[in-house]
Amino acid sequence: MEASTHIATDVDVTVTNCDREPIHIPGTVQAHGALLVVDRAGAVVQVSANVGIFIGRESQDVLNQPCSACFVDADGVRLMRALGDGQDWSELNPLPLVTHSGVRVNVIGHRQEGGTVLELEPSEDAIWYPEPQPVQRAIRALNRAATVEALQDAIVTEVKRLTGFDRVMLYRFDRDWNGAVVAEAAREGIGSFLGLRFPASDIPAQARTLYAKNTLRLIPTVEAETAALVPERNPLTRERLDQSACVLRSVSPIHIQYLKNMGVAASMSISVLDEGRLWGLIACHHYAPRYVPYRLRAASDLLGQVFSMQFALRRKQFATSVAADARQHLTRLVERTVEAEHITSVLCGMAEDKHGDEYGEEPGRFSALDLFDADGIAVCLEDEVCLLGQTPSSEHVYALLDWIADRNHEAGRTLVQTDSLRDVLPARLAPIAKDCAGMLAVSVADDWTSAVVWFRKEEPQTVTWGGQQKQAHVEEDGTLTLHPRASFEAWQEQVTGQATAWSDADVEMAGELRRVLVRVILQRAEELARLNADLTRSNAELDAFAYIASHDLKEPLRGITNYAQFLIEDYADELGDDGQAKLLTIARLGQRLDTFIDSLLEYSRVGRHEFTAEEVPIERALEESKELVHARLSEKRGRVDVVGDLPVVLGDAGRIVDVFANLISNGLKYNESEPPIIEVGSVPVARLSENQLERLPENHVLLFVRDNGIGIRPRHFEAVFGIFRRLHGRDQYGGGSGAGLTIVRRIVERHGGVVWVTSDFGEGSTFFFSFPVAP
């Protein structure tokens, strides 16, 4: 038997070369048994070359003959009945028969591709039929195990007791398919593999696939010859026979040499499945040939199934316990999130917890970091980022989210996790991995601009490996041969850059929180849209009412003012001083009310007016505004200076003129300097402060009107924009309605811009405002 597999020289030789070995169609069987393939009519179409040992006829004499002729008459009838449609071989196996040559065999069958595969094994003696008591005792031992660790120890102990193998190990796969021995029962004097890890290449992918399909695999002796199938291809399919479900399937020569290098003469493996997925193996080794008959194998396989179910049950019980605590935490977060004004403050534990007493904890001390075991959290919501615990910087968090968005643009994934950022991040983001090793992120927005990210710190560990990986060898004829490794001596590796892996429960809770946040944010967006619609309708109605009411008031108010003037002119002598004074007051109040009504009309007109967007040179708008305030400029002997170049903006030309007119008029009105100086200009992008950049809408230009007037105290910076709000006496600084700055704000905001004021009290004020820049 060959001790290695030859690989073509144009193949790059790596530890994954054996992944391409077609082990499910070897074309041979282990020689301790024989194989027959029969068609639906019961005729033999393919056999193993060693079939004569069992039935006394050579393979060529058996082919195309009824399979019943291979057995004594009565057993031949039994077999033909079993081959009939509707028979379930899983209930019949093994079928004890006597061959035509008098050999007692167990026939193990399974249906496949239009026919049936029959495998013949020597019939076991009575001593190989396990009594119910040992199996029941083993199952009771598994049921009594109180912990996962005790359960693992119980399965290897009971399988060893039942089968008599020298060593029985529980071999667990990690997420990268490396294996670790987590439990072991072995006879004295043969050493221990407990705690050792083995690379994924030891059990390649196609072998793991077969372990998941066929849960028990026996190799009675590594020295046995193999028997080829005759003919080479299955006549029913014209392909090589798929032996995935065959118990006699021959073994890869690489694996045979692997066992020899370990000193193992016979082996058996029982698959451990977790919800259909391969979790690990119960690996049995013997240092002399050992045949395990079918019924004992079936009993061992039963124990493996019981262990799989018990393990899954305990894992779910533990997960349920952990999930119950996490669910309670999530419930608290949901309650607080729904009630809170700012979601971010809730997730970061900064909001007051009204329900803290219900859970026996201090209010305000709970956050999304408490959902599961993590060292830090970044909450990126509501145009801000909140960091709690051990996390990268906010800049690095945003860079990380940009990278996630780029990678998931097509896939549309809403959850991303890794326990080694160092292994997945590009070089430009490598500094992030210095702060944290593990990341679990969920998106709250499709483009990942809003997200919640949990972080875990690095957990350095020492891993003990059971030998090196498979090696490539150049033969004397120049061919490349992949040899199984010969060394299984333990060696240690220091693993860095790794965090504790995120559990399924962690991922589930993160997903639940994401769904809650999306639902709450959508509800709030819908509520905000409804409120905005109501506000828009109310504003429109208010504007219409203000316009109609003020328009209708103009006529009677004009009549009152005029008649007061007539009385003063025509009846001054008869009214006396007191009467004249009262009439003058009526006239003055009428004029003031007329000014208020004009301001109200102007304010409502801004809201009702449909803006016409056009390119407006600010220089031209400034000249028109100076004409509107020409009288006051002359009266105050003031001047308007232009600072730098003025841009071209996109907007309603008439309303932009009104903005400058109002601001220049205010700058002249509230000014005691000689002369009053008004400066108008724009702020170049390169000179924008950080605060200005944050306020400025995208594609807007920032303009300013600066005066050397009386200034405004900081506490009034917002109040000056309130309608009919004056900071001085009614008749100071020439009176006025106090609506000018309100109109300025409304015009700017109708253009999508912003407006604010800065001032040094007693030295002057600067009004900043923005308009869309023209293309």
Side-chain angles (χ1 to χ4, degrees), residues 421-459:
L421 279 169
R422 185 184 64 184
D423 292 343
V424 297
L425 289 179
R428 61 184 176 83
L429 298 180
I432 296 176
K434 294 180 181 179
D435 299 314
C436 296
M439 174 201 72
L440 172 58
V442 292
S443 67
V444 183
D446 291 339
D447 58 0
W448 285 85
T449 53
S450 294
V452 180
V453 189
W454 289 267
F455 296 97
R456 278 180 178 164
K457 63 185 179 182
E458 179 187 41
E459 296 288 351

Side-chain angles (χ1 to χ4, degrees), residues 194-229:
L194 184 62
L196 294 186
R197 287 200 187 185
F198 297 86
S201 58
D202 276 10
I203 304 179
Q206 79 275 33
R208 296 194 298 267
T209 300
L210 291 181
Y211 279 128
K213 291 180 178 179
N214 198 344
T215 58
L216 191 139
R217 175 73 162 145
L218 173 67
I219 304 173
T221 173
V222 296
E223 300 294 346
E225 296 292 334
T226 60
L229 298 183

Side-chain angles (χ1 to χ4, degrees), residues 723-768:
I723 190 167
F724 303 140
R725 179 67 182 271
R726 290 191 301 266
L727 303 182
H728 307 283
R730 185 174 57 188
D731 297 319
Q732 284 184 283
Y733 299 102
S737 66
L741 291 179
T742 308
I743 293 171
V744 166
R745 170 174 275 184
R746 196 166 202 197
I747 292 173
V748 170
E749 290 180 348
R750 283 289 306 272
H751 284 81
V754 291
V755 58
W756 72 88
V757 63
T758 63
S759 181
D760 291 324
F761 187 70
E763 297 182 9
S765 304
T766 302
F767 286 86
F768 292 97

Side-chain angles (χ1 to χ4, degrees), residues 400-420:
L400 185 62
L401 292 180
D402 288 342
W403 173 75
I404 293 174
D406 290 340
R407 291 188 69 195
N408 292 278
H409 179 69
E410 298 293 337
R413 285 195 290 266
T414 58
L415 186 147
V416 177
Q417 61 167 310
T418 178
D419 52 19
S420 181

Side-chain angles (χ1 to χ4, degrees), residues 547-557:
Y547 183 82
I548 295 171
S550 54
H551 183 273
D552 291 347
L553 283 173
K554 293 282 286 185
E555 188 61 31
L557 182 61

Side-chain angles (χ1 to χ4, degrees), residues 241-500:
L241 179 67
D242 185 346
Q243 296 176 248
S244 298
C246 295
V247 296
L248 294 176
R249 174 173 54 86
S250 62
V251 187
S252 160
I254 290 180
H255 185 59
I256 289 293
Q257 189 62 42
Y258 181 92
L259 293 174
K260 287 182 177 181
N261 291 347
M262 295 183 74
V264 174
S267 75
M268 185 175 76
S269 61
I270 306 166
S271 303
V272 178
L273 303 179
D274 185 3
E275 297 182 350
R277 184 176 185 270
L278 185 63
W279 177 91
L281 299 170
I282 302 169
C284 308
H285 287 174
H286 207 65
Y287 294 93
R290 188 170 191 80
Y291 175 71
V292 182
Y294 182 85
R295 292 185 185 278
L296 188 55
R297 297 201 307 267
S300 302
D301 196 22
L302 174 62
L303 289 185
Q305 294 179 38
V306 172
F307 172 79
S308 296
M309 291 186 291
Q310 290 282 18
F311 183 84
L313 178 62
R314 282 161 173 74
R315 182 180 59 80
K316 287 182 179 179
Q317 287 174 339
F318 177 76
T320 300
S321 175
V322 173
D325 292 338
R327 185 71 58 184
Q328 186 181 59
H329 294 330
L330 182 63
T331 300
R332 290 182 60 189
L333 278 179
V334 171
E335 292 173 349
R336 297 172 63 192
T337 299
V338 171
E339 297 173 353
E341 181 178 353
H342 298 293
I343 299 176
T344 302
S345 62
V346 171
L347 299 182
C348 287
M350 297 184 295
E352 186 69 17
D353 185 0
K354 299 178 181 178
H355 305 282
D357 293 340
E358 299 175 16
Y359 299 94
E361 298 181 16
E362 296 181 29
R365 297 296 302 274
F366 179 77
S367 71
L369 186 58
D370 299 301
L371 269 183
F372 42 78
D373 184 23
D375 298 299
I377 188 173
V379 180
C380 303
L381 295 173
E382 302 169 336
D383 297 325
E384 60 179 330
V385 59
C386 172
L387 305 178
L388 185 64
Q390 182 175 331
T391 70
S393 66
S394 57
E395 292 79 7
H396 279 159
V397 169
Y398 281 125
L400 185 62
L401 292 180
D402 288 342
W403 173 75
I404 293 174
D406 290 340
R407 291 188 69 195
N408 292 278
H409 179 69
E410 298 293 337
R413 285 195 290 266
T414 58
L415 186 147
V416 177
Q417 61 167 310
T418 178
D419 52 19
S420 181
L421 279 169
R422 185 184 64 184
D423 292 343
V424 297
L425 289 179
R428 61 184 176 83
L429 298 180
I432 296 176
K434 294 180 181 179
D435 299 314
C436 296
M439 174 201 72
L440 172 58
V442 292
S443 67
V444 183
D446 291 339
D447 58 0
W448 285 85
T449 53
S450 294
V452 180
V453 189
W454 289 267
F455 296 97
R456 278 180 178 164
K457 63 185 179 182
E458 179 187 41
E459 296 288 351
Q461 55 182 308
T462 301
V463 177
T464 303
W465 292 94
Q468 301 289 342
Q469 297 183 354
K470 300 173 184 177
Q471 302 295 322
H473 178 68
V474 181
E475 306 292 350
E476 291 182 1
D477 62 0
T479 60
L480 295 179
T481 304
L482 189 63
H483 285 273
R485 54 196 176 90
S487 171
F488 294 87
E489 292 184 5
W491 63 281
Q492 291 186 335
E493 178 188 18
Q494 299 298 321
V495 179
T496 60
Q498 295 276 340
T500 303

